[in-house]
Amino acid sequence: KNEVEQSPQNLTAQEGEFITINCSYSVGISALHWLQQHPGGGIVSLFMLSSGKKKHGRLIATINIQEKHSSLHITASHPRDSAVYICAVRRYNTDKLIFGTGTRLQVFP
Amino acid sequence: DVKVTQSSRYLVKRTGEKVFLECVQDMDHENMFWYRQDPGLGLRLIYFSYDVKMKEKGDIPEGYSVSREKKERFSLILESASTNQTSMYLCASSSPGVVYTEAFFGQGTRLTVV
């Protein structure tokens, strides 16, 4: 079983819809990252969380440390949000990241 | 604007060639990483460097080596390229430990070995 699991693997939405991507992990962590990868490959960091909730524009990330679960929400989705969203966790006492396999999001006009 | 820059976006190499992938960061980060990304497998760590001349094997180091002679540059070397090393390679950097920051990624190098 992977230490970081994401769901769903693929997601399609109509423009304007509210989107949720989930991440569950099975190890003790000091931080969780949400990353975005557009076609072409480059990865951009969206959020780094260790507790609670963060918001940036239409993106919201939450984490529940007790339940070992995080969610990434996109409000009022837009076709430019189409990308692969990747959850990654940093284990205690290490600087290495463990990655989920990603959620491919397509938003149609 | 902080940057992690990989030397090539696309590379095509022949089986048996020695291949160098270069990564440079301008954030004075101690940590640098090389990953490969394959469909359905996510990013997997090849090697990690936490300081100049210091390195640590990741999850899949076989067939690869690395070099970190200067803090800003981390090179991945495929000693004798094979077709199963066809993949997307991503470099990243971060600050360590208690001042840990976000990880910053390069734009990726898509390597094809024929």
Side-chain angles (χ1 to χ4, degrees):
Chain A
K1 187 179 187 299
N2 292 337
E3 291 169 305
V4 180
E5 298 271 3
Q6 284 185 241
S7 63
Q9 286 188 306
N10 295 284
L11 184 55
T12 58
Q14 289 294 125
E15 185 173 356
E17 283 185 16
F18 180 85
I19 287 161
T20 296
I21 299 170
N22 295 299
C23 176
S24 296
Y25 53 92
S26 57
V27 296
I29 70 168
S30 54
L32 181 142
H33 298 252
W34 281 104
L35 309 167
Q36 181 190 56
Q37 185 176 32
H38 278 284
I43 290 177
V44 174
S45 178
L46 298 174
F47 295 103
M48 185 177 72
L49 293 163
S50 54
S51 64
K53 177 179 174 176
K54 286 190 176 179
K55 185 175 189 292
H56 182 69
R58 294 180 296 106
L59 301 178
I60 303 165
T62 63
I63 188 168
N64 185 319
I65 296 291
Q66 286 73 31
E67 294 186 5
K68 295 189 174 177
H69 182 268
S70 175
S71 293
L72 176 69
H73 305 286
I74 304 175
T75 61
S77 60
H78 190 276
R80 65 174 174 266
D81 297 326
S82 298
V84 175
Y85 292 84
I86 301 169
C87 172
V89 301
R90 179 191 176 211
R91 274 185 161 170
Y92 284 134
N93 299 319
T94 177
D95 290 336
K96 298 180 204 175
L97 296 176
I98 308 169
F99 294 84
T101 53
T103 295
R104 184 174 299 277
L105 171 65
Q106 290 184 288
V107 182
F108 295 99
Chain B
D1 196 19
V2 296
K3 281 248 181 348
V4 177
T5 304
Q6 294 181 227
S7 52
S8 306
R9 290 296 302 273
Y10 300 95
L11 274 180
V12 180
K13 296 291 181 181
R14 295 196 179 276
T15 301
E17 277 193 76
K18 190 168 185 174
V19 181
F20 293 86
L21 302 183
E22 306 284 346
C23 176
V24 177
Q25 51 97 2
D26 64 1
M27 294 163 282
D28 203 35
H29 284 164
E30 284 80 0
N31 295 336
M32 295 188 76
F33 307 82
W34 274 107
Y35 301 95
R36 65 177 281 177
Q37 184 181 31
D38 300 288
L41 297 177
L43 278 81
R44 293 179 292 166
L45 181 65
I46 305 171
Y47 266 98
F48 163 49
S49 170
Y50 49 93
D51 204 347
V52 175
K53 297 191 189 292
M54 307 304 285
K55 62 186 178 186
E56 193 174 303
K57 289 181 181 179
D59 300 317
I60 50 165
E62 296 78 20
Y64 303 95
S65 62
V66 289
S67 172
R68 186 131 180 239
E69 297 295 318
K70 293 186 177 181
K71 192 175 185 181
E72 67 271 18
R73 186 180 297 270
F74 191 34
S75 302
L76 180 69
I77 304 154
L78 286 66
E79 296 290 343
S80 177
S82 64
T83 54
N84 63 14
Q85 292 178 311
T86 292
S87 187
M88 169 70 89
Y89 290 87
L90 287 142
C91 174
S93 72
S94 69
S95 290
V98 294
V99 292
Y100 182 72
T101 65
E102 303 171 40
F104 293 88
F105 288 81
Q107 76 276 28
T109 297
R110 191 168 293 281
L111 172 67
T112 303
V113 182
V114 298

